[in-house]
């Protein structure tokens, strides 16, 4: 059952993408490929050093046993996306970062009038988008970015607002006192942004933000500030989608200032896991308007296989494009399979020796023996 759409804008009612006055610039897979090539050509030393540290850390025997944990591995070859592998949070596969995506950038028409390109917006946070895309096997073929010119205090206020609205409006009747609080917070943000002459206005930001959530159900949305420091916020729709602090605790901020601290961070990538992430408290279940429940699965590492080693329900999140294509579906009728673990790296599982052979051309770029640890007990 689809959520009822309203023709008028209201901070309480579900909006529609067709109601938005913002301009949408779409960068397809080919454009993403061009940006990745340019980013590799103009290598940023901070990110290069971080990926080198990831390579030096290597995966341990403990990571081999905990196949459900997040993992980023670069074992062999040059610094190119196809040699860097990430474990997906929805299927527990180890897949290279060379998969592209389509970016939908929503911005005020004044930027188009000034002939400002949206390519630099994506390029500014390209490594973060590559990693966030790599965390998902399904449902992340489309990435949504809303461009504003808010400063940090205004962005923090908008973050608190969206958390509050998502907690009390999605899939449920809003109580009268809660509705008054939402209207009060909305009016205060609207007045603040109008006073500072920010574009777009807050009603348009709120409309497009919630419309994307209602209609496209993405794993995350980026609110990008087109200020000098390119300050941004990443909103996650489930705690499972947040990068773990065990891997990203020393991830670079992207700021050119060598004395950069948490307060001047350009891209608010959650280096501290759930503690520093903006997670939207969305209601989940089977009721109309609710987001579907998210449950991680462990699947055969061969990308074209739909065999799962667990009997839990499939991950229900996915963009409209990926769900319509059928690639986000999993066969739950067949019984659970025990699986065969790669005898060398012990990081991936296969349903059969045949699928292991088919996956070897890709997996060989990663497969190495795990590093020895003093204690490998789980």
């Amino acid at each position: 059952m689809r959520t009822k759409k309203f023709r008028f804008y209201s901070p309480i009612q579900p909006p529609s993408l067709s109601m938005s006055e913002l301009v949408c610039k779409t960068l397809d897979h080919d454009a993403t490929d061009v940006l990745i090539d340019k980013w590799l050509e103009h290598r940023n030393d901070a990110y290069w050093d971080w990926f080198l540290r990831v390579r030096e850390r290597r995966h341990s025997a403990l990571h081999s046993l905990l196949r459900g944990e997040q993992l980023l591995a670069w074992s062999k070859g040059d610094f190119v996306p196809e040699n860097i592998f990430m474990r997906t949070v929805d299927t527990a596969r180890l897949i290279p970062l060379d998969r592209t995506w389509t970016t939908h950038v929503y911005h005020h028409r004044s930027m188009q009038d000034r002939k400002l390109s949206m390519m630099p917006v994506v390029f500014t946070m390209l490594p973060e988008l590559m990693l966030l895309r790599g965390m998902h096997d399904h449902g992340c073929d489309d990435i949504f970015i809303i461009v504003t010119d808010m400063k940090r205090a205004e962005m923090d206020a908008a973050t608190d607002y969206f958390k509050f609205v998502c907690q009390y409006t999605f899939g449920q009747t809003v109580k009268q006192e809660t509705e008054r609080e939402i209207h009060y917070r909305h009016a205060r943000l609207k007045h603040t942004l109008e006073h500072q002459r920010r574009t777009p206005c807050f009603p348009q930001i709120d409309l497009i933000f919630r419309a994307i959530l209602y209609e496209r159900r993405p794993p995350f949305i980026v609110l990008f500030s087109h200020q000098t420091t390119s300050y941004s916020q990443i909103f996650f729709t489930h705690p499972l989608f947040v990068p773990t602090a065990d891997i990203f605790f020393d991830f670079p901020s992207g700021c050119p200032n060598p004395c950069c601290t948490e307060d001047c961070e350009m891209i608010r990538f959650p280096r501290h896991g759930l503690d520093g992430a903006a997670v939207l408290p969305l209601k989940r279940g089977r009721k109309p308007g609710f987001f579907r429940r998210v449950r991680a699965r462990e699947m055969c590492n061969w990308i074209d296989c739909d065999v799962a080693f667990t009997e839990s329900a499939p991950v229900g999140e996915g963009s409209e494009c990926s769900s319509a294509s059928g690639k986000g579906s999993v066969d739950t009728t067949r019984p659970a399979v025990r699986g065969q673990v790669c005898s060398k790296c012990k990081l991936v599982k296969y349903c059969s020796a045949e699928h292991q052979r088919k996956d070897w051309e890709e997996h060989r770029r990663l497969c190495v023996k795990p590093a020895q640890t003093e204690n490998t007990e789980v």
Side-chain angles (χ1 to χ4, degrees):
M1 180 178 178
R2 291 184 176 270
T3 304
K4 184 179 179 181
K5 301 295 188 304
F6 290 77
R7 294 184 178 180
F8 60 91
Y9 167 70
S10 167
I12 306 298
Q13 305 297 345
S16 171
L17 289 172
S18 60
M19 298 166 57
S20 175
E21 296 179 0
L22 299 185
V23 179
C24 180
K25 173 65 177 179
T26 300
L27 305 180
D28 59 13
H29 292 255
D30 293 335
T32 305
D33 263 334
V34 171
L35 288 176
I36 293 175
D37 290 339
K38 288 184 178 180
W39 183 76
L40 291 173
E41 181 180 350
H42 302 86
R43 190 176 64 196
N44 185 293
D45 290 338
Y47 292 106
W48 165 251
D49 292 341
W50 182 79
F51 276 104
L52 283 178
R53 291 195 296 272
V54 169
R55 184 170 190 171
E56 291 170 357
R57 288 197 282 261
R58 293 185 57 185
H59 73 277
S60 65
L62 180 62
H63 276 123
S64 303
L65 294 172
L66 297 174
R67 278 183 293 273
E69 298 294 320
Q70 292 184 28
L71 175 65
L72 181 67
W74 174 22
S75 302
K76 304 176 182 178
D78 299 329
F79 179 62
V80 288
E82 53 262 34
N83 289 333
I84 304 173
F85 287 72
M86 195 162 192
R87 177 172 283 146
T88 58
V89 296
D90 51 350
T91 60
R93 287 174 171 145
L94 271 172
I95 300 178
L97 294 180
D98 60 352
R99 295 179 303 164
T100 56
W101 62 89
T102 299
T103 309
H104 306 275
V105 185
Y106 293 88
H107 59 89
H108 192 259
R109 62 179 180 274
S110 61
M111 298 186 68
Q112 188 177 28
D113 296 339
R114 287 180 287 168
K115 298 181 179 180
L116 296 178
S117 173
M118 292 298 104
M119 297 283 276
V121 173
V122 182
F123 188 81
T124 300
M125 54 186 311
L126 189 62
E128 287 83 2
L129 296 180
M130 288 175 59
L131 292 168
L132 292 172
R133 168 67 179 95
M135 289 178 61
H136 299 270
D137 194 354
H138 306 299
C140 203
D141 292 332
D142 296 271
I143 292 178
F144 300 90
I145 301 177
I146 305 171
V147 180
T148 73
D149 58 358
M150 291 189 291
K151 291 189 176 181
R152 176 155 188 165
E154 298 158 353
M155 187 76 77
D156 289 341
T159 299
D160 293 338
Y161 171 83
F162 286 127
K163 286 182 179 180
F164 186 82
V165 169
C166 290
Q167 182 176 1
Y168 293 106
T169 63
F170 273 73
Q172 55 189 314
T173 303
V174 183
K175 296 181 180 179
Q176 188 173 4
E177 58 270 20
T178 305
E179 183 174 347
R180 286 198 297 266
E181 179 65 19
I182 291 175
H183 280 290
Y184 169 73
R185 295 190 182 194
H186 183 277
R188 188 171 58 181
L189 271 168
K190 178 174 180 277
H191 173 76
T192 300
L193 268 61
E194 285 180 351
H195 181 71
Q196 299 296 333
R197 297 182 179 180
R198 305 289 184 222
T199 54
C201 63
F202 186 72
Q204 280 296 326
I205 296 174
D206 176 55
L207 189 157
I208 196 65
F209 187 95
R210 292 189 296 116
I212 292 171
L213 287 178
Y214 273 106
E215 296 188 4
R216 305 306 295 269
R217 308 292 171 112
F220 62 89
I221 299 177
V222 180
L223 201 56
F224 185 94
S225 179
H226 207 275
Q227 290 282 344
T228 306
T229 56
S230 301
Y231 184 77
S232 304
Q233 178 67 284
I234 303 172
F235 294 86
F236 298 92
T237 58
H238 194 277
L240 183 68
F241 304 151
V242 178
T244 178
D246 295 338
I247 299 175
F248 299 98
F249 64 92
D250 58 346
F251 189 78
S253 67
C255 180
N257 183 0
C259 301
C260 177
T261 64
E262 289 287 335
D263 293 332
C264 71
E265 192 172 26
M266 287 177 59
I267 303 298
R268 300 184 72 177
F269 196 80
R271 293 182 287 188
H272 307 295
L274 290 173
D275 291 338
V279 182
L280 301 174
L282 297 164
K283 297 290 184 181
R284 296 184 178 272
R286 296 184 177 181
K287 295 181 180 180
F290 279 26
F291 271 56
R292 295 179 184 177
R293 291 188 176 93
V294 176
R295 295 179 183 175
R297 299 175 64 87
E298 185 179 16
M299 299 186 66
C300 174
N301 204 64
W302 171 236
I303 193 67
D304 291 331
C305 180
D306 61 356
V307 172
F309 305 120
T310 57
E311 296 181 344
S312 60
V315 173
E317 294 305 322
S319 65
E320 184 177 286
C321 302
S322 60
S323 299
S325 64
K327 294 181 180 179
S329 61
V330 177
D331 188 359
T332 58
T333 58
R334 63 178 67 184
V337 180
R338 184 175 181 181
Q340 302 171 356
V341 179
C342 177
S343 60
K344 188 174 183 180
C345 68
K346 296 180 174 59
L347 287 173
V348 295
K349 291 175 72 174
Y350 298 95
C351 65
S352 64
E354 179 186 0
H355 282 191
Q356 185 175 9
R357 287 192 296 269
K358 289 182 178 181
D359 191 51
W360 177 243
E361 186 63 30
E362 183 172 277
H363 182 61
R364 67 189 301 176
R365 302 197 300 268
L366 167 73
C367 191
V368 295
K369 290 184 178 181
Q372 297 298 320
T373 56
E374 296 179 0
N375 184 10
T376 58
E377 294 183 2
V378 181

